[in-house]
Short mmCIF file of all heavy atoms in Angstrom, two decimals:
data_model
loop_
_atom_site.label_atom_id
_atom_site.label_comp_id
_atom_site.label_asym_id
_atom_site.label_seq_id
_atom_site.Cartn_x
_atom_site.Cartn_y
_atom_site.Cartn_z
N ILE A 371 43.28 -27.46 42.78
CA ILE A 371 43.50 -27.07 41.38
C ILE A 371 43.90 -25.59 41.35
O ILE A 371 43.25 -24.76 42.00
CB ILE A 371 42.22 -27.31 40.57
CG1 ILE A 371 41.82 -28.79 40.61
CG2 ILE A 371 42.40 -26.84 39.12
CD1 ILE A 371 40.46 -29.08 40.01
N PRO A 372 44.95 -25.27 40.59
CA PRO A 372 45.33 -23.85 40.49
C PRO A 372 44.31 -23.09 39.64
O PRO A 372 44.25 -23.26 38.42
CB PRO A 372 46.71 -23.89 39.81
CG PRO A 372 46.75 -25.21 39.10
CD PRO A 372 45.85 -26.13 39.85
N VAL A 373 43.49 -22.30 40.30
CA VAL A 373 42.42 -21.59 39.61
C VAL A 373 42.49 -20.10 39.88
O VAL A 373 43.03 -19.65 40.89
CB VAL A 373 41.01 -22.10 40.05
CG1 VAL A 373 40.77 -23.51 39.59
CG2 VAL A 373 40.82 -21.97 41.54
N GLN A 374 41.94 -19.35 38.94
CA GLN A 374 41.66 -17.93 39.14
C GLN A 374 40.23 -17.88 39.63
O GLN A 374 39.38 -18.64 39.16
CB GLN A 374 41.78 -17.17 37.82
CG GLN A 374 43.17 -17.14 37.24
CD GLN A 374 43.13 -16.53 35.86
OE1 GLN A 374 42.69 -17.17 34.93
NE2 GLN A 374 43.60 -15.30 35.75
N ILE A 375 39.96 -16.98 40.55
CA ILE A 375 38.62 -16.84 41.10
C ILE A 375 38.13 -15.43 40.84
O ILE A 375 38.85 -14.46 41.09
CB ILE A 375 38.60 -17.15 42.61
CG1 ILE A 375 39.13 -18.55 42.87
CG2 ILE A 375 37.19 -16.97 43.17
CD1 ILE A 375 39.35 -18.87 44.34
N LYS A 376 36.90 -15.37 40.35
CA LYS A 376 36.28 -14.06 40.10
C LYS A 376 35.03 -13.97 40.99
O LYS A 376 34.21 -14.88 40.99
CB LYS A 376 35.86 -13.95 38.62
CG LYS A 376 35.22 -12.61 38.29
CD LYS A 376 34.62 -12.62 36.89
CE LYS A 376 35.66 -12.51 35.82
NZ LYS A 376 35.07 -12.34 34.47
N GLU A 377 34.95 -12.89 41.76
CA GLU A 377 33.76 -12.67 42.59
C GLU A 377 32.74 -11.87 41.79
O GLU A 377 33.07 -10.85 41.21
CB GLU A 377 34.14 -11.91 43.86
CG GLU A 377 34.94 -12.75 44.83
CD GLU A 377 35.11 -12.04 46.16
OE1 GLU A 377 34.10 -11.62 46.76
OE2 GLU A 377 36.27 -11.91 46.57
N THR A 378 31.51 -12.37 41.78
CA THR A 378 30.42 -11.67 41.10
C THR A 378 29.23 -11.61 42.05
O THR A 378 29.25 -12.22 43.13
CB THR A 378 29.98 -12.40 39.82
OG1 THR A 378 29.38 -13.65 40.16
CG2 THR A 378 31.16 -12.64 38.88
N GLU A 379 28.20 -10.91 41.64
CA GLU A 379 26.99 -10.85 42.45
C GLU A 379 26.36 -12.23 42.62
O GLU A 379 25.71 -12.52 43.62
CB GLU A 379 25.98 -9.90 41.82
CG GLU A 379 26.41 -8.46 41.88
CD GLU A 379 25.42 -7.52 41.21
OE1 GLU A 379 24.32 -7.96 40.85
OE2 GLU A 379 25.75 -6.34 41.07
N GLU A 380 26.55 -13.10 41.62
CA GLU A 380 25.97 -14.45 41.67
C GLU A 380 26.82 -15.40 42.52
O GLU A 380 26.37 -16.49 42.85
CB GLU A 380 25.84 -15.03 40.26
CG GLU A 380 24.82 -14.33 39.38
CD GLU A 380 25.38 -13.06 38.75
OE1 GLU A 380 26.58 -13.01 38.43
OE2 GLU A 380 24.61 -12.10 38.61
N GLY A 381 28.03 -15.02 42.84
CA GLY A 381 28.91 -15.87 43.64
C GLY A 381 30.29 -15.98 43.01
O GLY A 381 30.66 -15.19 42.15
N LEU A 382 31.05 -16.97 43.44
CA LEU A 382 32.40 -17.18 42.94
C LEU A 382 32.39 -17.94 41.63
O LEU A 382 31.62 -18.90 41.47
CB LEU A 382 33.24 -17.94 43.97
CG LEU A 382 33.43 -17.27 45.32
CD1 LEU A 382 34.23 -18.18 46.25
CD2 LEU A 382 34.10 -15.93 45.18
N LEU A 383 33.26 -17.53 40.71
CA LEU A 383 33.40 -18.19 39.42
C LEU A 383 34.86 -18.60 39.26
O LEU A 383 35.76 -17.93 39.78
CB LEU A 383 32.97 -17.28 38.29
CG LEU A 383 31.53 -16.77 38.34
CD1 LEU A 383 31.29 -15.79 37.19
CD2 LEU A 383 30.53 -17.91 38.29
N TYR A 384 35.11 -19.67 38.51
CA TYR A 384 36.45 -20.27 38.44
C TYR A 384 36.92 -20.45 37.01
O TYR A 384 36.14 -20.70 36.09
CB TYR A 384 36.43 -21.63 39.14
CG TYR A 384 36.02 -21.54 40.58
CD1 TYR A 384 34.67 -21.58 40.94
CD2 TYR A 384 36.97 -21.39 41.58
CE1 TYR A 384 34.30 -21.47 42.27
CE2 TYR A 384 36.59 -21.29 42.91
CZ TYR A 384 35.25 -21.33 43.25
OH TYR A 384 34.88 -21.23 44.56
N HIS A 385 38.25 -20.39 36.85
CA HIS A 385 38.93 -20.67 35.59
C HIS A 385 40.31 -21.20 35.95
O HIS A 385 40.94 -20.71 36.90
CB HIS A 385 39.06 -19.40 34.75
CG HIS A 385 39.60 -19.63 33.37
ND1 HIS A 385 38.78 -19.87 32.31
CD2 HIS A 385 40.87 -19.69 32.90
CE1 HIS A 385 39.52 -20.04 31.23
NE2 HIS A 385 40.79 -19.94 31.57
N ILE A 386 40.81 -22.19 35.23
CA ILE A 386 42.15 -22.70 35.49
C ILE A 386 43.16 -21.59 35.21
O ILE A 386 43.06 -20.90 34.19
CB ILE A 386 42.45 -23.93 34.61
CG1 ILE A 386 41.47 -25.07 34.93
CG2 ILE A 386 43.89 -24.42 34.81
CD1 ILE A 386 41.54 -26.24 33.98
N GLN A 387 44.14 -21.44 36.10
CA GLN A 387 45.15 -20.40 35.93
C GLN A 387 45.91 -20.61 34.63
O GLN A 387 46.25 -21.75 34.28
CB GLN A 387 46.15 -20.40 37.09
CG GLN A 387 45.62 -19.77 38.34
CD GLN A 387 46.67 -19.74 39.44
OE1 GLN A 387 47.79 -20.18 39.27
NE2 GLN A 387 46.29 -19.22 40.58
N GLY A 388 46.17 -19.51 33.95
CA GLY A 388 46.82 -19.45 32.65
C GLY A 388 47.66 -20.61 32.19
O GLY A 388 47.24 -21.44 31.39
N SER A 389 48.88 -20.72 32.67
CA SER A 389 49.81 -21.73 32.18
C SER A 389 49.40 -23.15 32.56
O SER A 389 49.89 -24.11 31.96
CB SER A 389 51.23 -21.44 32.66
OG SER A 389 51.28 -21.48 34.07
N TYR A 390 48.51 -23.31 33.51
CA TYR A 390 48.06 -24.64 33.91
C TYR A 390 46.99 -25.20 32.98
O TYR A 390 46.63 -26.37 33.08
CB TYR A 390 47.53 -24.62 35.35
CG TYR A 390 48.63 -24.41 36.36
CD1 TYR A 390 48.89 -23.14 36.87
CD2 TYR A 390 49.43 -25.46 36.78
CE1 TYR A 390 49.91 -22.93 37.79
CE2 TYR A 390 50.45 -25.26 37.70
CZ TYR A 390 50.68 -23.99 38.19
OH TYR A 390 51.70 -23.80 39.10
N MET A 391 46.47 -24.39 32.06
CA MET A 391 45.45 -24.86 31.12
C MET A 391 45.98 -25.99 30.24
O MET A 391 45.23 -26.80 29.72
CB MET A 391 44.93 -23.73 30.24
CG MET A 391 43.89 -22.86 30.89
SD MET A 391 42.35 -23.71 31.27
CE MET A 391 41.62 -23.86 29.65
N ILE A 392 47.29 -26.10 30.10
CA ILE A 392 47.86 -27.15 29.26
C ILE A 392 47.83 -28.52 29.95
O ILE A 392 47.87 -29.56 29.30
CB ILE A 392 49.29 -26.78 28.81
CG1 ILE A 392 49.70 -27.68 27.65
CG2 ILE A 392 50.26 -26.84 29.96
CD1 ILE A 392 50.93 -27.22 26.93
N VAL A 393 47.77 -28.53 31.27
CA VAL A 393 47.86 -29.79 32.02
C VAL A 393 46.76 -30.78 31.62
O VAL A 393 47.07 -31.94 31.31
CB VAL A 393 47.86 -29.53 33.54
CG1 VAL A 393 47.77 -30.82 34.33
CG2 VAL A 393 49.12 -28.75 33.93
N PRO A 394 45.47 -30.40 31.60
CA PRO A 394 44.46 -31.38 31.20
C PRO A 394 44.67 -31.88 29.76
O PRO A 394 44.46 -33.08 29.49
CB PRO A 394 43.14 -30.62 31.32
CG PRO A 394 43.43 -29.52 32.27
CD PRO A 394 44.86 -29.16 32.03
N ALA A 395 45.09 -31.01 28.85
CA ALA A 395 45.33 -31.43 27.47
C ALA A 395 46.46 -32.45 27.41
O ALA A 395 46.35 -33.47 26.70
CB ALA A 395 45.64 -30.22 26.61
#
Side-chain angles (χ1 to χ4, degrees):
I371 300 171
V373 292
Q374 295 172 286
I375 302 171
K376 181 190 284 188
E377 289 188 54
T378 67
E379 291 179 9
E380 293 81 34
L382 299 178
L383 301 176
Y384 301 87
H385 187 92
I386 298 171
Q387 283 183 0
S389 62
Y390 291 97
M391 279 295 285
I392 196 167
V393 172

